[in-house]
Amino acid sequence: MKWLIVTGDDFGMSDGINRGVLQAHRDGILTTASLLVNRPASEKAAALARECPALSLGLHLELDAGEPRRVPAQLERQLARFQELAGAAPTHVDSHHDVHHDPRVLPHLLAWARLAGVPVRGHSEARHLPKFYGQWGGETHPEQIGVEGLLRLLDAEVGEGVTELTCHPGYVEPGFHSRYAAEREIELRTLCDRRIHQAILDKDIRLVGFRDLHAVATRSSVREDMA
């Protein structure tokens, strides 16, 4: 069985990002969002997420890997802020620019995650697929994040078990500062395209969120034991 988690990063970065993430969830294939908790639009993002009970909401950490001694305190503050905003524990944890993979950061996060029972991106039952991204070498590559590009990824990269596809949908508003800007609107259109919906059905891929991960992983293990 193939299960796919589609996670929108940078939730809370701006009002335009918030609108894009919610549209990709309501009209597209996005099942999960990762919330930045210390941005001006973070509170609005958490409020919007509460209106979408099917949306898994996790924590998108912002950590300073250059100051590893500060990481535990940063982690605790952002976890507490997430609880304050969302009123619940995160369904998963990852980080801005994937800084949690830094060896100075990762042990702190994994130690907390083991106690809390919260999956960490790249260190859980879900295989992380980061290739749906439209910029490298300082250049934009819309072909990678268009419909055909995503269809190729679904064919080549989504296999048996659980896969997490990360994305960055959103609307770019005046004053938005990010190197990854116009690409966000391309991603949004792709995630909501009916051809993607149909391909998910045709390929017998089940869309799930991180809150479903434990149940899905258990089912997968039972199937393997019975095989």
Side-chain angles (χ1 to χ4, degrees), residues 68-105:
R69 287 177 295 180
R70 296 176 55 197
V71 167
Q74 292 174 344
L75 176 59
E76 290 300 326
R77 281 197 299 271
Q78 290 180 51
L79 285 165
R81 178 60 173 158
F82 183 96
Q83 292 265 12
E84 178 185 345
L85 291 173
T91 60
H92 63 283
V93 175
D94 50 54
S95 64
H96 200 42
H97 301 309
D98 285 331
V99 71
H100 70 281
H101 293 310
D102 190 294
R104 296 168 294 180
V105 171

Side-chain angles (χ1 to χ4, degrees), residues 55-70:
L55 180 69
S56 292
L57 187 64
L59 172 59
H60 201 48
L61 287 163
E62 293 186 276
L63 299 172
D64 183 1
E67 295 285 346
R69 287 177 295 180
R70 296 176 55 197

